[in-house]
Amino acid sequence: MSTTTDGPKNRRGTLRDEQKRATRAKLVDAARTLFEERGYAAVTVDDISSVVGCSRATFYVHFASKVEMLKTIGAAGMAASAFAFYIDLDRVLDTNSRVEFTAWLERAFDWFDENKRLLPAWDEAVALEPEFRETARDGMTELPNAMPKYLGRWPVEQHDEARLRVELLVSQLERFFTRWAVQGTIDVTRVQAAEVLTDIWFPALSPESKGGDER
């Protein structure tokens, strides 16, 4: 049987938990904003804590490091939504429709556009932090797992190559978008980019693309 003090104690515990969750959410929001504005290397734990109005000690209650913070941001947004995009690509390739593939690329451009302010910080962290580099590598190798129908169309002995083709697609899309929409060093319309990338990748993701390779 509960005592008369259980109610207030439980309420105090719930309030503390809510305050912790709120502080953690504020830290994540502040870090993402700072990473988007300044990149990864220029932002410190003190900067993030200062925006929220808490101490470094409070930051470390929630996150072991700045790297863990960026991992959290990625897992909550970029990584999860990217995985969903490749689930969708599996469906699109199953239609064997060039039109559907071009439409998928258009949606991929939208995804990059939504996340483009964070991409420079992401690339910086990959270059500077071995721990984050491993996280990024794991994320890349996980994407083909979202595409069982695609993998199923390739002979088992070619699965490694099939996975590599997806990873190369991801890499090219990332680099193209960075140069095109972030750095402005490629001058092309969205429609032209989607058409050319379709020319390259729609056939390349089919096992039949290897048919003419062997003589």
Side-chain angles (χ1 to χ4, degrees):
M1 181 179 295
S2 64
T3 67
T4 56
T5 58
D6 284 348
K9 282 182 180 177
N10 287 339
R11 284 194 294 273
R12 285 196 296 273
T14 300
L15 180 59
R16 281 194 298 271
D17 290 341
E18 289 175 355
Q19 289 171 337
K20 280 186 176 180
R21 284 193 292 270
T23 298
R24 181 182 174 88
K26 288 177 183 176
L27 286 165
V28 170
D29 289 344
R32 175 157 189 153
T33 298
L34 289 171
F35 289 149
E36 289 176 346
E37 292 174 351
R38 305 182 194 174
Y40 176 79
V43 175
T44 67
V45 169
D46 283 335
D47 293 331
I48 299 167
S49 303
S50 178
V51 169
V52 175
C54 68
S55 65
R56 284 171 58 90
T58 298
F59 177 95
Y60 286 116
V61 166
H62 297 277
F63 301 97
S65 64
K66 190 172 71 165
V67 175
E68 186 184 332
M69 170 62 84
L70 188 58
K71 286 183 184 180
T72 300
I73 292 169
M78 290 178 65
S81 56
F83 196 80
F85 260 96
Y86 286 85
I87 292 174
D88 188 41
L89 179 58
D90 198 37
R91 176 194 64 79
V92 166
L93 292 175
D94 200 44
T95 68
N96 199 32
S97 166
R98 178 190 167 94
V99 171
E100 287 275 355
F101 187 83
T102 303
W104 178 84
L105 283 171
E106 293 274 2
R107 293 193 294 276
F109 291 164
D110 289 339
W111 181 89
F112 278 111
D113 201 47
E114 289 170 6
N115 291 281
K116 70 180 179 182
R117 295 185 66 208
L118 189 60
L119 290 175
W122 191 273
D123 287 343
E124 270 189 73
V126 170
L128 295 172
E129 304 280 9
E131 177 186 345
F132 194 74
R133 194 175 308 136
E134 187 162 335
T135 296
R137 185 186 304 118
D138 290 345
M140 175 75 80
T141 57
E142 185 67 18
L143 289 178
N145 293 337
M147 302 176 62
K149 292 178 183 177
Y150 161 77
L151 291 174
R153 288 193 292 276
W154 289 77
V156 173
E157 65 273 14
Q158 293 179 6
H159 274 197
D160 285 347
E161 178 184 338
R163 295 177 67 87
L164 176 60
R165 288 181 183 230
V166 174
E167 291 168 11
L168 290 173
L169 167 66
V170 176
S171 297
Q172 185 171 57
L173 288 179
E174 287 179 353
R175 299 321 300 163
F176 164 70
F177 191 86
T178 296
R179 291 178 181 274
W180 173 49
V182 178
Q183 298 172 354
T185 56
I186 294 179
D187 184 15
V188 66
T189 69
R190 181 183 175 114
V191 171
Q192 288 172 322
E195 285 297 322
V196 172
L197 286 166
T198 298
D199 286 343
I200 295 168
W201 284 105
F202 181 62
L205 293 171
S206 168
E208 289 73 24
S209 64
K210 290 182 65 67
D213 292 344
E214 297 181 8
R215 300 176 184 273

